[in-house]
Amino acid sequence: MKTKLSEYMNIKRIEFIVTWQCGGKCKHCQIGDGINQRSSHRHVLGEYAADAVKKIASAYDVTSVMTFGGEPLYYPDVTAEIHKATTECGIKTRQIITNGYFTNNGEKSSAVAKSLADAGVNNLLLSADGFHQEYIPIEPVYRFAQDVLNAKIPGFRLHPAWLVDEEYENMYNSETRKILQKFSELPIPVSRGNNIFLGGHAAKYLREHYEKVELDLSAKCGTTPHTEPLTEVSSISIVPNGDVMICGFVIGNIYDEDVLDVIARYDPYKDEAMRPLIEGGVSGLLAYASAHGVQVDTTKYCDACDICHAVVEQLKI
């Protein structure tokens, strides 16, 4: 067991949003309006990202590094550089989530698949479903799937998103089944359980398919799906402009300072917005925001986390 730099962190997973850019405008996208947003950087800087992986792995028993976006393969050299560092550190899971549409050039598609294999990627999830193919042509995605098979990247799976769940009958799930059938001649397993929840664009475009639930604004991080307590952090994210993020909170920047210094000083009780969230849940954060002139219409949101993110975003102004 390595020494923890912060008593509130034991990092097991590092996620990189390689870029906000994407060719899709998917109605289920959890990034929502963050897709294709303007940023001071079009992509994560590979050298800094690789350095962050090596330094964090020197201090923590990291077991997983994931690259996604946006579409991470818009910048395949950056993505490969991150995973090469991950492989060199002996990190077990080296994962990419991609929609497979980053080029119409067959030679480039093949070369990118080979570069990912050479970098040590061992878990590639290819998004193919009624949501992605509403905007993304299937032909280059199918070709990339063939290229990944030829490159012998292990842990390769099709990763369809299901509206509500796989059994729910609707136009998107019906289209997803047709799309998966088109891949059936290729020996690619299909992941299960990738059910859409109401965050990001899904909350805007797909709300009618879900039963209305009363939001529990007393909910604290770690008690709702896909979250963990701010006092027991095991996963951090790094975004294109270098910000180090815990959920919606920026705690530092790898372009401005050493990532281990960012981690070492992390104390959620010293953060003016984190503390009320820890102590009083989302309602505590809302009270803090109101006292600082920030008002959020909670009726617009289907998920307590989206309310939290909206408040944190406005508090930055």
Side-chain angles (χ1 to χ4, degrees), residues 206-217:
L206 305 173
R207 187 187 297 220
E208 65 188 84
H209 295 278
Y210 292 78
E211 293 182 8
K212 186 175 181 180
V213 296
E214 197 69 33
L215 293 182
D216 179 8
L217 297 185

Side-chain angles (χ1 to χ4, degrees), residues 192-258:
R192 300 295 175 188
N194 183 24
N195 299 332
I196 296 165
F197 67 93
L198 285 181
H201 276 169
K204 183 186 298 185
Y205 298 114
L206 305 173
R207 187 187 297 220
E208 65 188 84
H209 295 278
Y210 292 78
E211 293 182 8
K212 186 175 181 180
V213 296
E214 197 69 33
L215 293 182
D216 179 8
L217 297 185
S218 67
K220 301 177 182 179
C221 291
T223 62
T224 57
H226 312 288
T227 69
E228 62 183 6
L230 293 171
T231 54
E232 300 174 28
V233 175
S234 66
S235 175
I236 64 171
S237 300
I238 298 176
V239 300
N241 71 355
D243 281 345
V244 181
M245 304 191 69
I246 296 173
C247 201
F249 293 94
V250 177
I251 65 168
N253 188 289
I254 63 171
Y255 304 157
D256 297 334
E257 58 185 319
D258 191 296

Side-chain angles (χ1 to χ4, degrees), residues 207 215 217 282 286 295-303 307 311:
R207 187 187 297 220
L215 293 182
L217 297 185
V282 177
L286 286 168
Q295 301 291 333
V296 172
D297 181 3
T298 59
T299 63
K300 292 170 53 179
Y301 300 93
C302 304
D303 182 84
I307 295 174
V311 172

Side-chain angles (χ1 to χ4, degrees), residues 99-117:
N99 63 39
Y101 183 48
F102 55 93
T103 184
N104 288 310
N105 183 297
E107 290 185 3
K108 180 176 180 181
S109 178
S110 177
V112 167
K114 184 178 184 304
S115 74
L116 297 177

